[in-house]
Amino acid sequence: MKLLDWITGLDPAVLNLSTFGLLALEGAGIPGVPGVLPMLAQVSAIEAGHTTLTSAIFWGVLGNWLGSLLGYAAARWGGQYLPARWLEHPGMERTGKLLTRWGGPLVIVSRTIGSLRTPVTLLCGLTRFPFLAYVLLSLLGALLHVGAWQTALWKFGPVIVPQVLRWGTQLGLGAAALLLIVWLWRTHGGRVRLWQL
């Protein structure tokens, strides 16, 4: 398993920086960022004795939390530059109602639920949700999200990681091929024949 050997051989500082960076992007609300990948890599490094669970959680929480603050700030002070289609998306209206009703608890939960993370982060900034409250609530949410996931992956990672690495490449290539076909179909309205690819 060469990929696993490469991951366990990574310099812990590089792994921590990667964990911080990817979880900051995920925390900012950027859709599609695979925040679980650095957590899986951290599991391999923990098992190899190159880092600790505490360190993995620290860097993940710090990234997720600072990313959430960056997303909030971008929406609050740069919201006028966001694409109108983002703001008019039906999910934003539903999330706005949830935010009005649940407030703080929704900010905490949104750190873990990806479909809520982006709209809650943006709406908190756009609606000028109290900044200090957002700082504290998003920190609590990041602690719960990263702490629970990293600990679960550490506990069960030695069983999960080899299978994920083995099947992940094949599934990733299959998903990429499927997405390419769907994109071609949607952009060309069925005019492209699969055998012409």
Side-chain angles (χ1 to χ4, degrees):
M1 181 100 23
K2 292 180 182 176
L3 181 58
L4 190 56
D5 293 338
W6 178 76
I7 290 172
T8 55
L10 276 177
D11 179 351
V14 171
L15 182 56
N16 290 337
L17 185 60
S18 300
T19 300
F20 172 83
L22 279 173
L23 286 171
L25 293 174
E26 178 190 66
I30 297 174
V33 176
V36 73
L37 291 181
M39 290 187 196
L40 286 169
Q42 288 280 7
V43 167
S44 297
I46 292 167
E47 292 300 314
H50 297 231
T51 191
T52 63
L53 177 63
T54 304
S55 177
I57 291 173
F58 172 80
W59 287 104
V61 167
L62 186 63
N64 188 278
W65 179 53
L66 291 180
S68 71
L69 298 181
L70 178 64
Y72 174 95
R76 182 166 181 167
W77 291 286
Q80 68 272 21
Y81 301 111
L82 292 173
R85 62 184 173 85
W86 286 13
L87 304 176
E88 295 164 0
H89 190 275
M92 291 293 275
E93 183 181 339
R94 285 192 302 269
T95 305
K97 290 177 183 174
L98 286 173
L99 190 59
T100 301
R101 182 171 183 191
W102 295 101
L106 186 65
V107 173
I108 295 169
V109 169
S110 73
R111 295 290 89 211
T112 299
I113 300 174
S115 61
L116 287 175
R117 188 178 302 115
T118 302
V120 167
T121 301
L122 292 177
L123 282 172
C124 282
L126 290 170
T127 61
R128 303 205 182 300
F129 191 91
F131 182 68
L132 184 57
Y134 186 81
V135 166
L136 296 174
L137 292 167
S138 61
L139 175 59
L140 180 57
L143 280 166
L144 292 172
H145 168 60
V146 175
W149 270 103
Q150 189 66 71
T151 302
L153 289 170
W154 171 65
K155 286 278 191 194
F156 304 108
V159 175
I160 296 170
V161 171
Q163 281 76 22
V164 169
L165 293 175
R166 186 178 308 122
W167 292 101
T169 304
Q170 295 171 357
L171 289 174
L173 290 173
L178 181 62
L179 288 173
L180 176 63
I181 291 168
V182 169
W183 176 78
L184 286 170
W185 186 266
R186 292 186 79 199
T187 57
H188 298 290
R191 292 185 303 271
V192 174
R193 302 285 187 262
L194 292 179
W195 56 85
Q196 292 176 333
L197 296 178

